[in-house]
Amino acid sequence: MKVCKFGGTSMADAGQVNKVCEIMLADPARRVLVVSAPGKRSGAESKVTDLLIACADAALEGRDGSKSQEQVVARYAAIQQDLGIEAALIDRIRSELARRLTAHRADRGRFKDAVKAAGEDFAALLVAAAFRARGVAAVYVNPAEAGMLLEGEAGNAVLCPESYERLSFSLGAMLEHPDRPIIVFPGFFGATREGAVATFPRGGSDITGAILAAALKADCYENFTDVDTVYAVDPRIVPDVRHGIQEMTYREMRELSYAGFGVFHDEAVVPAVRAGIPINIRNTNHPDLPGTRVVPRREAATCSVVGIASDTGFVALYVDKYMMNREVGFGRRLLQILEDEGVSFEHMPSGIDNVSVVMRDARFDADRETRVVARIQAELKPDAILVERGHALIMVVGEGMQYAVGMAARATRALADAGVNIEMINQGASEISMMFDVRSPDRDRAVRALYEAFFA
Ligand code: ASP
């Protein structure tokens, strides 16, 4: 049995939804379908999720959001009309959206989650109706009723572990139904123990798909998107990239998607890894192509570097104190200050008398910076402290790297030749990746140089 997830571009219009149906029907093992909200039809258009966020913000700020609201309904109506699905569904979508937008707003985060989640929810209703219009048995499943229990902050929820058992029980029974219905499950959200709608981080339908694949012990998790393969480097940075990745390991995928590999959500690897389920990333527009397989293990010898990923938006907090290495508990106290502010850190390269803490910029705003710096000064009495924004991280990833000699030399040579100054290097921590920290304006140049060095 396969669980298939289709992303926003696969849901963008009736033509795409038809492709989704054809793909599902082409293989009887494809029984569970996870959908995203409709994405962009053209570059200038907004994704439905972004329109919904605009609606929710307008409601929270007391502004008129009716234009975005109508745009959302119009996206579903266009699909409904072209597929010849009953129009009553659009009336239902319109009134359900209005209901969510006038619901209780005491908890602003949960209010917004409920509005955002409507995008996937309506898409699933529509796709289930599209199958039925073709005479194919299909059921829409409500994640809350099926047992997708979530917890944690709004817009950034995590799964409660008991969900696996609940989902396996409820969906397992549906799979055994003699009509063999296709289960259509909206991605991106679930419900809290209190019954409120909660969403995963953006792009979270990938996570839903991986959770269902794990709960149902699927033979494969097929993730359909709009690229033929995962490329070794971001085509927006290296437009003529030719190297598609046929196969990579879970660890490689996690490292690459962490640092900006847009095709797959980094948190979605985890449930699949725990259950040992292979992931296959494929293209809805070219379903005959094999795509990229993500597997537990692979023969690394063939290619030591599998991909290069990068992301901007990092900030480095640099703390210097003479004899830091002799001061027991310095690191713990430093991290305690960050913990008290609710800031998680990404990397922490250190020297004898200094330590740098690299964080996501979005998690360390100006107010937090002021409070953190004041506390470090008062409690840790450093010789110097510096906060520097505008950092980018580049990850060169490959299982085979741990056995290959001279990989770091090749990378640093390439960066030096491109005139890129390396701010930090982190190699020891992960045996399958090298991390380079550079200034954001140097990022693209650095990635191109590394791509040339390892793939040209
Ligand atoms: N629709 C949501 C987003 O745009 C979730 C997803 O597509 O996976 O982030």
Side-chain angles (χ1 to χ4, degrees):
M1 196 276 292
K2 294 175 179 171
V3 171
C4 305
K5 179 258 167 177
F6 289 85
T9 48
S10 308
M11 296 299 307
D13 59 27
Q16 292 299 91
V17 173
N18 270 330
K19 288 182 193 168
V20 172
C21 293
E22 298 295 336
I23 291 170
M24 288 302 288
L25 296 173
D27 181 350
R30 293 180 177 138
R31 295 289 311 278
V32 180
L33 162 57
V34 175
V35 296
S36 276
K40 297 177 181 192
R41 285 173 292 194
S42 65
E45 194 173 50
S46 296
K47 288 169 143 201
V48 163
T49 307
D50 291 318
L51 290 171
L52 289 166
I53 291 171
C55 292
D57 286 341
L60 286 169
E61 290 156 22
R63 285 185 284 109
D64 175 23
S66 54
K67 193 162 159 256
S68 309
Q69 204 172 329
E70 263 322 303
Q71 277 176 308
V72 170
V73 178
R75 292 294 307 270
Y76 293 98
I79 301 174
Q80 168 264 329
Q81 279 156 16
D82 291 348
L83 292 181
I85 296 167
E86 68 273 24
L89 185 58
I90 298 305
D91 297 334
R92 187 170 156 200
I93 285 174
R94 182 180 284 108
S95 57
E96 175 58 19
L97 180 57
R99 187 194 67 75
R100 292 188 194 212
L101 283 165
T102 47
H104 206 51
R105 289 173 207 173
D107 185 335
R108 296 166 69 91
R110 292 284 175 237
F111 169 81
K112 207 163 165 174
D113 272 5
V115 175
K116 268 156 71 181
E120 274 57 23
D121 212 17
F122 299 161
L125 285 167
L126 202 67
V127 170
F131 278 111
R132 288 195 296 267
R134 289 169 169 249
V136 175
V139 276
Y140 154 85
V141 175
N142 178 308
E145 287 166 15
M148 181 70 84
L149 258 191
L150 308 187
E151 61 192 0
E153 54 181 316
N156 197 20
V158 290
L159 190 75
C160 302
E162 65 262 42
S163 299
Y164 286 110
E165 211 171 309
R166 289 170 179 234
L167 289 164
S168 149
F169 183 75
S170 61
L171 300 183
M174 289 180 204
L175 285 172
E176 273 157 32
H177 192 282
D179 288 350
R180 290 184 51 84
I182 290 180
I183 294 176
V184 188
F185 199 103
F188 191 40
F189 74 97
T192 64
R193 283 180 223 282
E194 295 71 39
V197 174
T199 63
F200 290 120
R202 291 299 302 268
S205 299
D206 284 345
I207 308 176
T208 306
I211 291 166
L212 297 192
L216 296 169
K217 305 201 170 28
D219 299 310
C220 179
Y221 171 30
E222 290 185 314
N223 194 289
F224 283 89
T225 163
D226 53 8
V227 289
D228 288 341
T229 174
V230 176
Y231 288 102
V233 67
D234 189 338
R236 285 167 303 185
I237 301 177
V238 183
D240 56 352
V241 53
R242 290 276 174 280
H243 286 81
I245 304 174
Q246 283 168 1
E247 193 175 72
M248 66 178 134
T249 65
Y250 293 140
R251 295 200 302 172
E252 289 170 331
M253 184 63 180
R254 160 86 178 127
E255 299 247 359
L256 288 168
S257 54
Y258 161 80
F261 250 50
V263 268
F264 196 70
H265 200 290
D266 66 327
E267 289 179 32
V269 183
V270 183
V273 172
R274 293 219 176 106
I277 294 163
I279 303 166
N280 190 189
I281 297 163
R282 311 181 63 155
N283 191 347
T284 301
N285 305 313
H286 297 131
D288 297 335
L289 296 179
T292 299
R293 285 177 63 77
V294 189
V295 293
R297 256 159 265 101
R298 73 178 174 94
E299 288 297 326
T302 46
C303 144
S304 48
V305 172
V306 73
I308 299 167
S310 66
D311 207 1
T312 53
F314 291 92
V315 48
L317 168 71
Y318 175 84
V319 183
D320 189 280
K321 186 173 184 185
Y322 187 57
M323 301 288 276
M324 185 188 285
N325 65 320
R326 303 293 296 270
E327 202 174 314
V328 176
F330 190 94
R332 184 191 53 72
R333 281 180 283 144
L334 175 61
L335 292 180
Q336 185 66 52
I337 295 172
L338 291 171
E339 185 181 339
D340 292 347
E341 283 290 337
V343 183
S344 61
F345 75 97
E346 306 295 317
H347 300 278
M348 195 159 100
S350 62
I352 305 167
D353 288 333
N354 40 53
V355 56
S356 298
V357 187
V358 181
M359 297 161 282
R360 294 259 179 201
D361 206 284
R363 300 216 147 240
F364 194 66
D365 57 26
D367 289 345
R368 283 204 169 100
E369 175 183 331
T370 310
R371 290 193 296 268
V372 165
V373 168
R375 274 191 65 186
I376 293 174
Q377 237 133 19
E379 295 168 35
L380 299 177
K381 313 229 166 354
D383 297 325
I385 173 166
L386 182 73
V387 175
E388 211 173 51
R389 295 189 186 265
H391 281 248
L393 295 186
I394 302 173
M395 311 285 268
V396 179
V397 178
E399 294 273 356
M401 255 166 36
Q402 49 187 316
Y403 312 110
V405 176
M407 303 301 279
R410 228 152 114 186
T412 49
R413 178 80 265 151
L415 293 173
D417 289 346
V420 174
N421 183 30
I422 305 170
E423 302 273 329
M424 284 175 251
I425 303 182
N426 190 348
Q427 211 223 324
S430 163
E431 48 189 12
I432 69 156
S433 73
M434 285 183 281
M435 185 206 88
F436 298 97
D437 180 313
V438 301
R439 305 295 310 189
S440 293
D442 291 341
R443 190 269 298 258
D444 290 5
R445 200 155 31 98
V447 169
R448 280 185 214 118
L450 290 168
Y451 178 72
E452 282 294 314
F454 289 104
F455 292 95

